[in-house]
Amino acid sequence: MIGALLQVHSIAGLALALLWAVVGLTGATMSFEDEIQASLNRDLTHVDASAAQRLSPDELVARVEAAGDFGKVSAVTMPADPTAAVRIRFTRSEGGAQPSSVYADPYNGHVLGSPRGEDFFATVRKLHRWLLLPGDGNGYGRTITGTAAICLILMLMSGMVLRWPHRATSVKVWLKPNLSLRGRGLHRSLHAVIGTWVLPVYLVITLTGLTYSFEWYKDGAKWLLARPSPSAAPMQPKAPRGVAGARTDIADAAKPFGFDRVWATFLREQGDRYARALLTLPAGAGTVVRVRSWPRGGSLDTARDEFRIDAATGRLVSADLYDDKSFGERILASVLDIHRGAILGWPGKLAFMLAAALMPLFAATGLLLHLSRRRHRRVAAPPVGHLVPGE
């Protein structure tokens, strides 16, 4: 039984080792992305506070679009800090490429430049989530990484069974590698003991990461942790045919809309309690803009409020406040911060980064152990035949 489990563990590990190493290294690279980008772009994100009033979102967008051929604006990040620049993002091109965002001065709309490192981290993120395969989140790369995560959970469980020591209550046996060994013994000790160290982290990473790979898993987590949600906010009713006002409503909906009415409604709801707000235009048809708001002094990226506001009328469609969430709903909202260890502050991010960066170690030691077992079997195997007596 143990021999068969070892064989399956070894073969599956060798088959998926490279994929796990890529996902682990890319995850480690993104662990301190926010801090790295903040350091690289310190000169772009800071502006001199002015006595003049800051431009409205629509005025900012108009000046940025007039300054260069950036494409259509898709989102605007408005900071509360008077010395912080506004960040503007653009829609994908016809070929599917994502243009670089730009920072702009909130007082005069002057374009300060594109953030350094943005394209690099965008590529790393695509490699981590979808292996740079076609279709991005709608392609089969998402399924491959999700399946690999499930296999990693099974590998962790089988690894624990295979290394269960005779002295199970000895902390030293479980957690201290024997560095006095050489060759196969050292490889086995490193593979097993360090695997025990990182096992809790890998379980957290895989169990949270699956929410980004499989809708059935995400729906199951919502069913388990979230309260039954009330019926969704009603859509704007369509005008019946033949009604005189129908053509007027359609014409109003067809008019271009922007962020100013949304911004006015958001400020009425939030006041000065926000640190920054991200206004995102709808990807398709419609006039409802999503506004994500992060509170002052907040340390977690996922601890935020979310509003949906009709840009054509300024009507608040829905408000999802973080303080109103249940414990389970806060867990669901914080999946990304849990996934990368940020829920524990910078020590947690550092621990998760190191654990992810160690993934190639298991690929290397696993391969060396496999090759060692093969050599051992060849040496120990009896000869296939023997000479006939007298020959």
Side-chain angles (χ1 to χ4, degrees):
M1 177 66 179
I2 295 298
L5 183 62
L6 175 61
Q7 191 74 3
V8 172
H9 183 90
S10 177
I11 294 174
L14 290 174
L16 294 170
L18 180 59
L19 176 57
W20 287 331
V22 169
V23 173
L25 289 175
T26 51
T29 303
M30 293 187 296
S31 294
F32 288 92
E33 175 185 353
D34 294 339
E35 291 81 357
I36 293 172
Q37 290 220 58
S39 178
L40 289 175
N41 299 292
R42 195 178 305 276
D43 58 326
L44 297 179
T45 57
H46 180 82
V47 298
D48 294 329
S50 171
Q53 186 176 4
R54 285 185 284 185
L55 300 174
S56 71
D58 285 348
E59 289 174 327
L60 271 169
V61 167
R63 296 196 184 190
V64 168
E65 288 181 335
D69 186 17
F70 299 107
K72 182 181 178 182
V73 170
S74 64
V76 177
T77 301
M78 302 287 290
D81 184 356
T83 65
V86 172
R87 189 171 183 177
I88 298 178
R89 293 177 171 86
F90 306 93
T91 57
R92 294 180 181 274
S93 64
E94 293 182 358
Q98 182 73 48
S100 297
S101 61
V102 297
Y103 285 108
D105 190 314
Y107 297 99
N108 55 29
H110 176 66
V111 176
L112 303 174
S114 295
R116 305 176 188 92
E118 181 182 42
D119 293 339
F120 169 77
F121 281 110
T123 302
V124 171
R125 188 174 298 106
K126 289 182 179 181
L127 180 58
H128 180 75
R129 293 180 176 178
W130 311 308
L131 306 176
L132 296 180
L133 294 174
D136 290 346
N138 297 320
Y140 49 88
R142 179 186 181 193
T143 304
I144 293 174
T145 54
T147 304
I150 294 175
C151 292
L152 181 58
I153 295 174
L154 298 177
M155 289 291 289
L156 294 171
M157 297 299 99
S158 62
M160 288 299 293
V161 173
L162 290 171
R163 80 146 305 194
W164 194 269
H166 296 295
R167 292 179 294 158
T169 59
S170 173
V171 176
K172 180 179 178 180
V173 171
W174 278 108
L175 302 178
K176 183 179 179 182
N178 191 345
L179 301 180
S180 63
L181 297 174
R182 293 292 181 269
R184 182 180 179 186
L186 178 61
H187 300 153
R188 183 188 294 111
S189 180
L190 292 175
H191 191 88
V193 175
I194 297 179
T196 304
W197 290 353
V198 300
L199 183 143
V201 175
Y202 284 175
L203 283 177
V204 171
I205 289 175
T206 51
L207 291 174
T208 53
L210 285 172
T211 59
Y212 298 101
S213 294
F214 299 113
E215 290 299 325
W216 57 264
Y217 186 90
K218 185 176 182 179
D219 293 340
K222 288 181 179 178
W223 173 83
L224 182 65
L225 297 173
R227 294 171 295 186
S229 58
S231 57
M235 299 294 290
Q236 293 179 354
K238 295 181 180 179
R241 293 183 181 181
V243 176
R247 288 189 297 272
T248 303
D249 293 341
I250 294 173
D252 289 342
K255 292 180 180 178
F257 60 92
F259 294 104
D260 280 358
R261 287 180 178 173
V262 174
W263 186 240
T265 301
F266 169 76
L267 291 179
R268 187 174 65 247
E269 294 292 326
Q270 282 288 81
D272 60 354
R273 296 188 299 274
Y274 74 99
R276 72 182 192 278
L278 172 62
L279 291 70
T280 305
L281 290 173
T287 59
V288 176
V289 173
R290 183 183 67 189
V291 183
R292 288 179 172 174
S293 170
W294 288 265
R296 294 179 182 272
S299 59
L300 297 178
D301 185 66
T302 50
R304 61 179 181 247
D305 298 332
E306 185 166 314
F307 303 88
R308 294 185 182 274
I309 302 171
D310 192 326
T313 63
R315 180 176 64 91
L316 177 65
V317 177
S318 65
D320 185 13
L321 304 181
Y322 185 81
D323 289 341
D324 293 341
K325 295 180 183 293
S326 66
F327 177 73
E329 289 167 341
R330 291 190 180 191
I331 292 177
L332 289 174
S334 303
V335 162
L336 180 58
D337 283 328
I338 297 172
H339 181 71
R340 58 182 187 162
I343 197 76
L344 302 175
W346 73 262
K349 292 173 70 172
L350 179 61
F352 276 52
M353 181 194 74
L354 294 176
L358 283 172
M359 186 60 77
L361 171 69
F362 301 105
T365 54
L367 176 61
L368 291 172
L369 288 171
H370 176 75
L371 295 176
S372 177
R373 282 193 295 271
R374 289 190 61 181
R375 287 195 300 268
H376 181 74
R377 283 196 296 268
R378 284 200 299 267
V379 171
V384 177
H386 57 275
L387 295 175
V388 177
E391 292 186 350

mmCIF file of all heavy atoms in Angstrom, residues 7 36 68 116 141 194 272 309 338:
data_model
loop_
_atom_site.group_PDB
_atom_site.id
_atom_site.type_symbol
_atom_site.label_atom_id
_atom_site.label_comp_id
_atom_site.label_asym_id
_atom_site.label_seq_id
_atom_site.Cartn_x
_atom_site.Cartn_y
_atom_site.Cartn_z
ATOM 1 N N GLN A 7 4.712 5.509 -5.249
ATOM 2 C CA GLN A 7 4.843 5.537 -6.702
ATOM 3 C C GLN A 7 3.944 6.613 -7.314
ATOM 4 O O GLN A 7 4.373 7.393 -8.182
ATOM 5 C CB GLN A 7 4.473 4.157 -7.269
ATOM 6 C CG GLN A 7 4.825 3.975 -8.740
ATOM 7 C CD GLN A 7 6.317 3.787 -8.965
ATOM 8 O OE1 GLN A 7 7.102 3.736 -8.009
ATOM 9 N NE2 GLN A 7 6.720 3.702 -10.226
ATOM 10 N N ILE A 36 6.486 47.550 -4.064
ATOM 11 C CA ILE A 36 7.502 47.767 -5.101
ATOM 12 C C ILE A 36 7.066 48.870 -6.055
ATOM 13 O O ILE A 36 7.850 49.773 -6.392
ATOM 14 C CB ILE A 36 7.765 46.451 -5.862
ATOM 15 C CG1 ILE A 36 8.431 45.423 -4.938
ATOM 16 C CG2 ILE A 36 8.637 46.697 -7.089
ATOM 17 C CD1 ILE A 36 8.559 44.047 -5.545
ATOM 18 N N GLY A 68 -3.206 62.891 -25.379
ATOM 19 C CA GLY A 68 -2.561 61.815 -26.133
ATOM 20 C C GLY A 68 -3.565 60.777 -26.558
ATOM 21 O O GLY A 68 -4.724 60.762 -26.112
ATOM 22 N N ARG A 116 5.841 52.699 -13.643
ATOM 23 C CA ARG A 116 6.897 51.738 -13.943
ATOM 24 C C ARG A 116 6.550 50.393 -13.292
ATOM 25 O O ARG A 116 6.070 50.342 -12.172
ATOM 26 C CB ARG A 116 8.232 52.237 -13.416
ATOM 27 C CG ARG A 116 8.610 53.625 -13.927
ATOM 28 C CD ARG A 116 9.907 54.113 -13.298
ATOM 29 N NE ARG A 116 10.186 55.507 -13.637
ATOM 30 C CZ ARG A 116 9.812 56.543 -12.902
ATOM 31 N NH1 ARG A 116 9.156 56.328 -11.763
ATOM 32 N NH2 ARG A 116 10.089 57.780 -13.273
ATOM 33 N N GLY A 141 -6.358 27.947 -19.495
ATOM 34 C CA GLY A 141 -5.275 28.096 -18.534
ATOM 35 C C GLY A 141 -5.796 28.169 -17.113
ATOM 36 O O GLY A 141 -5.171 27.647 -16.176
ATOM 37 N N ILE A 194 10.846 20.330 5.259
ATOM 38 C CA ILE A 194 10.419 21.643 4.771
ATOM 39 C C ILE A 194 9.002 21.569 4.231
ATOM 40 O O ILE A 194 8.219 22.522 4.366
ATOM 41 C CB ILE A 194 11.409 22.169 3.718
ATOM 42 C CG1 ILE A 194 12.785 22.369 4.355
ATOM 43 C CG2 ILE A 194 10.922 23.484 3.118
ATOM 44 C CD1 ILE A 194 13.847 22.861 3.418
ATOM 45 N N ASP A 272 -16.176 62.290 3.755
ATOM 46 C CA ASP A 272 -14.713 62.284 3.749
ATOM 47 C C ASP A 272 -14.145 61.031 4.419
ATOM 48 O O ASP A 272 -13.004 61.031 4.879
ATOM 49 C CB ASP A 272 -14.174 63.536 4.445
ATOM 50 C CG ASP A 272 -14.634 63.621 5.901
ATOM 51 O OD1 ASP A 272 -15.451 62.775 6.326
ATOM 52 O OD2 ASP A 272 -14.170 64.529 6.617
ATOM 53 N N ILE A 309 -23.854 52.910 -8.980
ATOM 54 C CA ILE A 309 -24.547 54.180 -9.164
ATOM 55 C C ILE A 309 -24.837 54.375 -10.647
ATOM 56 O O ILE A 309 -23.958 54.165 -11.503
ATOM 57 C CB ILE A 309 -23.691 55.343 -8.634
ATOM 58 C CG1 ILE A 309 -23.374 55.125 -7.147
ATOM 59 C CG2 ILE A 309 -24.393 56.675 -8.848
ATOM 60 C CD1 ILE A 309 -22.366 56.115 -6.592
ATOM 61 N N ILE A 338 -6.178 36.774 2.132
ATOM 62 C CA ILE A 338 -5.851 35.500 2.774
ATOM 63 C C ILE A 338 -4.924 34.696 1.871
ATOM 64 O O ILE A 338 -3.943 34.092 2.326
ATOM 65 C CB ILE A 338 -7.133 34.703 3.080
ATOM 66 C CG1 ILE A 338 -8.013 35.474 4.069
ATOM 67 C CG2 ILE A 338 -6.797 33.326 3.647
ATOM 68 C CD1 ILE A 338 -9.389 34.853 4.277
#
